Amino acid sequence: MEALVLLLIVLGFGFFSFPLYSYFIAVGLYSVIFFEVGTLFWVIFALLAFVFLSPSLRIKLISSKLVNFINKNGLLPKISQTEQAALQAGTNWVEANFFKAEVNFKAINAQKVTTLTQEEQNFLDNEVNELCNMTTDWEIFQNRDLSPQVWQFIKEKKFFGMIIPKEYEGLGFSATAHSKVIEKLVSRSQVLAITIMVPNSLGPAELILKHGTLNQKEKYLKDLANGKLVPCFGLTEPNAGSDATSITSNGVIFKDENDELKIRLNFEKRYITLGNVATLIGLAFVLKDPEHLLGDKEDLGITFAVFDSKLEGINNSKRHDPLGIPFVNSPLYGKNVIIDMENIIGETSGIGKGWQMLVESLSIGRGISLPSVSLGGSKLALNVVASYSQLREQFGLSINHFEGVEEKIAKIAAFTYMLNASRNYTLDAIDDGVKPGVINSIMKYHATEKFRTVINDSMDVLGGSAIIRGENNLLAHAYFALPISITVEGANILTRNLMQFGQGLIKSHPYIYKQIEALNNNNVKAFDKVFFSHIGLVYSAFCKSLIYYVTRGNISCQKGNFQRYKQKLSWVSAEFTLLTNIALGILGPSLKKRENISARFGDILSNCYLITATLREFEINPNEEDKDLVDYICNYCFNEIQIAREEIISNIGYLDYLLPIVKINPFSIKAKDKLNAKIVKNLSNQDYLQKLTSSLFISKDENDRLAKLQLAVKLNKECENSFKILKDAIKNGTIKKDNPQNMTKELLEKNLLSKEEIEKMLEAHALKQEVISVDSFDAKEYKALR
């Protein structure tokens, strides 16, 4: 019994991360009081205490030998220069806690919430709405371009200058405002959103702003902000996509006839947004100095430059056709293009810094732009599907009453709420000065993948209405464009398999990178400190995992809403930390090459973040009806974590025997079917639906399809009782089933409804029929369509 109590004390010390000396004190005192131990025990006990509590002895007897063993056997993980740049870019944030078996909801809820300034809100309400009113998605597709008037409006109103500070005549918007502009635009047209998104993401403005010289900022930023310059950025090549370090475009330094240093560029780029219309090209290339005009090195590394698109040797005359989506996307070719050294971003100090600049700047696209597109598209899909499914009837019932349809709609609503929550949390951090590189990768992957699910499920619910192209189809073009978001800013397969956990493990783990640095520098003292801290973390994670497993996390003290999910998240964090370090211990440096294992760890990490963001969103914006969505999301994410947990254990040697143990005590299972019904019922409240899908652009034009859909739902809701009387009359044989005019005539004759009620019901019915109709074309007209 005494031994069991001692074991519980030691586990408790680990749970609360007590320092090492406290274990020796506790074991010593307990042994004196409760155990009869001999001299040998005390000799061994004293030696262990002396060695482990004396840093100098520990270093001499343990750590130095361990360092020699690692070096001798080549166990030191190798980190390339490109990986070093990625690790140094950005900052650790909330994800780092998941590697420390911690979840700090007090800090999570304390994250500053960004509110739009009056200027930003006015821009959304005025300029953005005006731009949306100027065109339609169908019109853009038929013309294969934005109209000259739209292009001019975009430039004049500084849509290309949202991220440029006011001192350079830009709008100087927050990341949140930038996101909300894209979110609203995409609900009108993805082409509009992409056209405006890209110059405010990775491109000349972003790069010059962060890395350019004062002269470069003065020279370019004002003209970029005012639309006098249209930018593009050339990075991707035929053999360099996600692996941007493999670019072959090159620049060679030489002296011209005036003895001035110049660069001769030769390049072939593809998938370059705005490339065909750009007047200012940003380019990534490998800079070489074969004549050693700048120094001893010949290969100077990846470098970025900006220059006029009209320079001799440049060809940007061609266009790509990305799945028929008519945003400007082009190849770029350059042969013997001569630029000045001053064209290098940062001038001479920017030479060879291109990869580091790229890693830092990619976070804008990953963390802001693409999640905003996905969120705006998801809100549009939710609004359309929830509205349409109330109007469309099969077998005498609105289709939102069928369980299969309920399941799809509930998932669409939950994913939309989750995307909104994670977008808000991420942007609040970015606006607060955080540069969350790992989280931005998570956002890019999950925003685009969840949007893919949302659109696919929406297409299923809408059925034939979704597959017939025409002015009345609000989702088809989003469906076509989905693979573009999945592909750009790093293909999703690589984002999941290599970046989320692969980058996060070294960057966000509290000790791994420090150990690698200590080993590289042969600093035994530094290695000793972080190594034994690492051991302490693993033991603490083991104690927490064991105790949480036995208690199913109920022992974790949490406050506020959804305490049970917070307890489970603490449990998951402890197991994630433990399992990560066990995998490291078994696989060592080869864990980096086990991409599928890395991907599953990434699934756990990213779902922890999605749960965290969802719970935070409810804390700062509580709403009774949202509770069902939070329940759905948390059950979904914990179930995804459970699946990843089982698959990791199944695929790492020596851990297979643990599989039955983790299966009999899962984190969660998917939400029950009845939750789907509750969510769909809530969505039938039009005010609630409008709140969930706020930021959509809904035209005031009575002929606009989305506006008609909203009106049809409203009118049919108002006539709900009248339609019920009609159905009951048919059912009990009071009137015969016939066309609406004849049936309503009978209802009037039998005084079942008034003339006014019938007129309103016929109006509602006619509008319903109109919004569930699909487009059709004259055969000759059809052949001319694009």
Side-chain angles (χ1 to χ4, degrees):
M1 184 64 184
E2 287 83 0
L4 178 60
V5 172
L6 179 60
L7 176 62
L8 292 175
I9 290 172
V10 171
L11 286 173
F13 279 21
F15 185 89
F16 292 107
S17 302
F18 280 24
L20 183 60
Y21 68 82
S22 64
Y23 290 85
F24 283 101
I25 294 172
V27 172
L29 289 174
Y30 202 89
S31 298
V32 168
I33 298 170
F34 294 104
F35 297 132
E36 293 183 9
V37 293
T39 304
L40 180 61
F41 170 84
W42 289 113
V43 170
I44 295 172
F45 181 83
L47 284 173
L48 289 174
F50 199 50
V51 170
F52 281 99
L53 296 180
S54 171
S56 57
L57 268 179
R58 192 174 64 225
I59 290 170
K60 185 177 181 180
L61 297 176
I62 300 174
S63 299
S64 59
K65 291 179 172 53
L66 186 58
V67 168
N68 290 335
F69 176 80
I70 292 171
N71 290 333
K72 184 178 179 181
N73 290 275
L75 300 178
L76 176 63
K78 291 180 172 56
I79 300 178
S80 66
Q81 287 187 336
T82 54
E83 288 176 310
Q84 287 272 13
L87 292 170
Q88 292 168 5
T91 54
N92 287 328
W93 185 43
V94 66
E95 82 286 349
N97 287 333
F98 298 123
F99 286 96
K100 296 188 291 188
E102 294 176 3
V103 183
N104 186 344
F105 281 102
K106 186 176 180 180
I108 289 164
N109 293 329
Q111 177 68 60
K112 181 181 177 183
V113 177
T114 305
T115 54
L116 296 184
T117 64
Q118 190 60 53
E119 181 185 2
E120 290 169 338
Q121 188 62 57
N122 288 342
F123 189 83
L124 269 171
D125 295 339
N126 296 298
E127 282 84 351
V128 175
N129 281 353
E130 189 174 348
L131 177 57
C132 290
N133 272 318
M134 291 177 73
T135 189
T136 66
D137 193 49
W138 181 252
E139 179 184 272
I140 293 169
F141 269 75
Q142 292 311 297
N143 294 330
R144 305 294 293 161
D145 199 355
L146 305 177
S147 70
Q149 293 80 10
V150 169
W151 276 111
Q152 189 60 32
F153 186 84
I154 288 171
K155 295 173 183 178
E156 285 181 357
K157 299 301 180 181
K158 303 186 180 183
F159 277 88
F160 288 161
M162 287 193 291
I163 65 168
I164 298 175
K166 291 181 181 297
E167 62 187 286
Y168 296 108
E169 299 181 9
L171 294 175
F173 280 177
S174 63
T176 300
H178 171 186
S179 173
K180 287 184 178 293
V181 169
I182 301 304
E183 179 189 344
K184 179 173 277 193
L185 288 173
V186 81
S187 70
R188 185 60 161 177
S189 169
Q190 285 212 335
V191 177
L192 263 183
I194 293 170
T195 301
I196 289 163
M197 173 185 85
V198 172
N200 288 287
S201 182
L202 175 62
E206 170 78 7
L207 294 167
I208 291 170
L209 187 60
K210 289 187 175 179
H211 306 286
T213 64
L214 185 60
N215 287 337
Q216 289 172 333
K217 292 176 183 178
E218 292 289 345
K219 182 177 180 179
Y220 295 113
L221 290 180
K222 289 181 182 178
D223 286 345
L224 285 167
N226 290 299
K228 293 179 182 178
L229 289 175
V230 177
C232 72
F233 182 69
L235 175 63
T236 307
E237 300 178 3
N239 295 301
S242 294
D243 180 15
T245 58
S246 298
I247 62 175
T248 58
S249 296
N250 65 85
V252 177
I253 298 175
F254 70 99
K255 282 189 176 180
D256 67 5
E257 62 274 10
N258 298 319
D259 208 33
E260 293 182 1
L261 290 177
K262 302 282 184 177
I263 300 171
R264 181 181 290 107
L265 293 172
N266 285 281
F267 55 88
E268 179 183 353
K269 301 289 183 179
R270 63 181 183 181
Y271 313 147
I272 311 305
T273 300
L274 297 183
N276 177 248
V277 298
T279 57
L280 183 70
I281 294 176
L283 193 81
F285 59 95
V286 177
L287 184 61
K288 298 181 181 295
D289 184 13
E291 299 178 42
H292 302 286
L293 297 172
L294 294 181
D296 296 334
K297 289 179 66 177
E298 180 174 334
D299 189 344
L300 302 181
I302 296 174
T303 302
F304 290 168
V306 289
F307 47 85
D308 192 329
S309 66
K310 299 301 181 185
L311 289 178
E312 185 177 351
I314 293 174
N315 180 358
N316 65 338
S317 62
K318 295 188 176 182
R319 287 276 299 266
H320 292 309
D321 184 16
L323 290 176
I325 310 301
F327 67 96
V328 179
N329 194 261
S330 324
L332 290 178
Y333 305 98
K335 186 173 183 180
N336 296 326
V337 179
I338 308 302
I339 65 171
D340 296 324
M341 297 294 290
E342 289 75 19
N343 291 108
I344 295 173
I345 295 176
E347 297 187 6
T348 54
S349 64
I351 291 174
K353 303 286 181 62
W355 176 246
Q356 186 174 344
M357 293 180 188
L358 176 66
V359 171
E360 291 178 3
S361 299
L362 272 173
S363 63
I364 300 297
R366 290 176 179 154
I368 301 176
S369 301
L370 289 171
S372 303
V373 168
S374 296
L375 176 58
S378 294
K379 285 186 175 182
L380 175 64
L382 173 59
N383 191 293
V384 170
V385 169
S387 301
Y388 180 89
S389 62
Q390 294 179 59
L391 299 172
R392 181 79 164 112
E393 292 187 0
Q394 292 285 280
F395 310 108
L397 281 174
S398 297
I399 61 172
N400 65 350
H401 288 98
F402 292 94
E403 284 195 353
V405 175
E406 280 179 348
E407 181 183 18
K408 299 286 187 182
I409 297 174
K411 190 196 303 181
I412 293 167
F415 280 9
T416 301
Y417 184 91
M418 180 169 64
L419 287 179
N420 188 61
S422 54
R423 186 277 304 264
N424 289 346
Y425 189 25
T426 307
L427 295 191
D428 284 342
I430 291 172
D431 281 327
D432 200 26
V434 179
K435 298 176 182 177
V438 174
I439 294 301
N440 285 333
S441 295
I442 288 172
M443 284 300 299
K444 190 271 172 176
Y445 175 79
H446 279 279
T448 54
E449 288 294 341
K450 295 298 184 288
F451 183 38
R452 169 150 56 183
T453 300
V454 164
I455 288 295
N456 285 339
D457 285 350
S458 298
M459 298 291 283
D460 287 351
V461 173
L462 296 177
S465 180
I467 64 173
I468 303 300
R469 280 188 70 227
E471 194 166 3
N472 290 324
N473 191 327
L474 295 170
L475 299 184
H477 293 155
Y479 178 79
F480 298 161
L482 255 173
I484 299 171
S485 293
I486 299 293
T487 303
V488 299
E489 304 281 18
N492 271 8
I493 292 174
L494 295 182
T495 301
R496 176 174 178 256
N497 285 35
L498 297 177
M499 295 186 66
Q500 292 181 6
F501 179 76
Q503 180 183 341
L505 175 62
I506 300 177
K507 183 175 179 62
S508 303
H509 192 286
Y511 303 118
I512 289 176
Y513 189 60
K514 291 177 182 177
Q515 289 174 82
I516 293 171
E517 277 190 318
L519 288 167
N520 278 325
N521 298 324
N522 203 30
N523 189 333
V524 181
K525 185 177 180 181
F527 176 80
D528 172 83
K529 183 178 180 180
V530 293
F531 176 76
F532 281 96
S533 295
H534 191 167
I535 297 297
L537 172 67
V538 174
Y539 178 68
S540 178
F542 168 76
C543 294
K544 288 181 179 180
S545 297
L546 181 60
I547 292 170
Y548 284 147
Y549 179 89
V550 172
T551 65
R552 286 197 52 79
N554 283 290
I555 197 172
S556 175
C557 296
Q558 300 294 343
K559 297 179 180 180
N561 297 290
F562 296 107
Q563 293 179 24
R564 186 70 191 109
Y565 296 137
K566 293 175 181 177
Q567 291 173 331
K568 283 189 177 183
L569 194 58
S570 296
W571 176 16
V572 169
S573 178
E575 282 212 14
F576 174 73
T577 300
L578 179 63
L579 199 53
T580 293
N581 288 285
I582 289 174
L584 272 171
I586 295 173
L587 301 176
S590 66
L591 176 58
K592 184 178 176 182
K593 299 176 184 178
R594 296 287 300 273
E595 292 179 23
N596 288 337
I597 297 292
S598 179
R600 290 163 185 138
F601 274 116
D603 290 344
I604 296 176
L605 178 63
S606 55
N607 277 288
C608 283
Y609 180 71
L610 295 175
I611 293 167
T612 301
T614 299
L615 295 174
R616 172 189 180 262
E617 181 68 21
F618 189 86
E619 291 281 359
I620 61 177
N621 292 306
N623 179 47
E624 190 66 27
E625 290 168 304
D626 289 340
K627 284 185 174 180
D628 295 326
L629 295 174
V630 176
D631 280 330
Y632 185 107
I633 293 163
C634 289
N635 281 289
Y636 168 84
C637 289
F638 280 124
N639 186 58
E640 291 292 298
I641 290 170
Q642 176 67 21
I643 292 168
R645 173 201 202 190
E646 292 176 10
E647 291 179 351
I648 290 168
I649 289 170
S650 297
N651 285 280
I652 295 180
Y654 311 111
L655 294 185
D656 291 16
Y657 66 91
L658 293 175
L659 196 56
I661 297 174
V662 299
K663 280 190 171 185
I664 62 172
N665 192 21
F667 293 127
S668 182
I669 58 174
K670 289 176 68 175
K672 295 180 179 179
D673 292 344
K674 63 181 181 181
L675 185 58
N676 297 334
K678 289 176 68 178
I679 291 171
V680 173
K681 183 180 179 182
N682 290 339
L683 292 172
S684 65
N685 179 341
Q686 206 170 10
D687 290 338
Y688 179 60
L689 177 61
Q690 298 306 325
K691 181 184 175 186
L692 276 182
T693 59
S694 62
S695 300
L696 290 183
F697 172 75
I698 300 178
S699 175
K700 293 181 180 178
D701 181 356
E702 60 182 18
N703 292 315
D704 181 83
R705 181 67 165 187
L706 188 56
K708 268 185 188 175
L709 186 59
Q710 314 304 302
L711 181 58
V713 172
K714 181 175 181 291
L715 288 178
N716 277 270
K717 273 284 182 188
E718 291 172 358
C719 295
E720 197 169 35
N721 188 57
S722 298
F723 282 116
K724 185 178 184 305
I725 289 171
L726 172 61
K727 286 182 179 181
D728 289 344
I730 295 171
K731 188 176 180 180
N732 60 34
T734 304
I735 65 171
K736 293 181 180 179
K737 190 170 184 179
D738 202 342
N739 62 57
Q741 286 72 23
N742 289 339
M743 288 191 294
T744 52
K745 184 179 178 182
E746 280 196 69
L747 288 173
L748 182 61
E749 289 172 351
K750 295 179 179 180
N751 292 318
L752 293 174
L753 288 173
S754 68
K755 182 180 179 182
E756 291 75 16
E757 289 173 320
I758 286 173
E759 287 176 351
K760 191 170 184 178
M761 187 168 67
L762 286 172
E763 181 188 0
H765 175 75
L767 191 55
K768 177 171 74 171
Q769 293 304 115
E770 186 177 351
V771 297
I772 66 173
S773 64
V774 297
D775 295 279
S776 59
F777 306 94
D778 177 86
K780 186 177 180 180
E781 180 188 7
Y782 172 75
K783 291 179 180 180
L785 292 177
R786 296 183 177 184

